[in-house]
Amino acid sequence: MSCVIADVQMPGMSGLELRNRLVTSGNPIPTILITAFPDENARRRALQAGVTCYLTKPFSEDDLLAGIRSTLGRRETGA
């Protein structure tokens, strides 16, 4: 798997909780989070936790593709 794209608010588990579970299970898959409820504190926490891209809805196809390219580029360089 190259990256995960998840919503911040999902039933049963948040996108950030998903990211944290992946990391603690030994699968630190690069993660892009999306949200319809922009919150600068949530964004800051997500990025500090290692989320590679945080997009607020509505976002353009170009924004999502740029986030994916950036995320995959970080994975290739080991950043």
Side-chain angles (χ1 to χ4, degrees):
M1 188 176 316
S2 296
C3 71
V4 170
I5 301 172
D7 204 302
V8 171
Q9 295 184 1
M10 302 184 297
M13 180 186 312
S14 75
L16 187 53
E17 289 170 330
L18 172 62
R19 163 70 184 162
N20 292 336
R21 285 193 187 185
L22 289 168
V23 170
T24 58
S25 71
N27 295 306
I29 298 166
T31 304
I32 296 171
L33 291 183
I34 59 176
T35 185
F37 305 99
D39 176 327
E40 186 55 36
N41 289 327
R43 178 184 177 280
R44 189 175 312 110
R45 283 191 310 273
L47 295 174
Q48 288 173 346
V51 168
T52 56
C53 183
Y54 191 94
L55 296 172
T56 57
K57 298 174 189 176
F59 52 85
S60 70
E61 179 180 316
D62 289 339
D63 290 338
L64 178 58
L65 289 173
I68 293 169
R69 285 187 193 105
S70 174
T71 296
L72 296 179
R74 288 181 192 190
R75 184 175 183 140
E76 290 174 4
T77 63

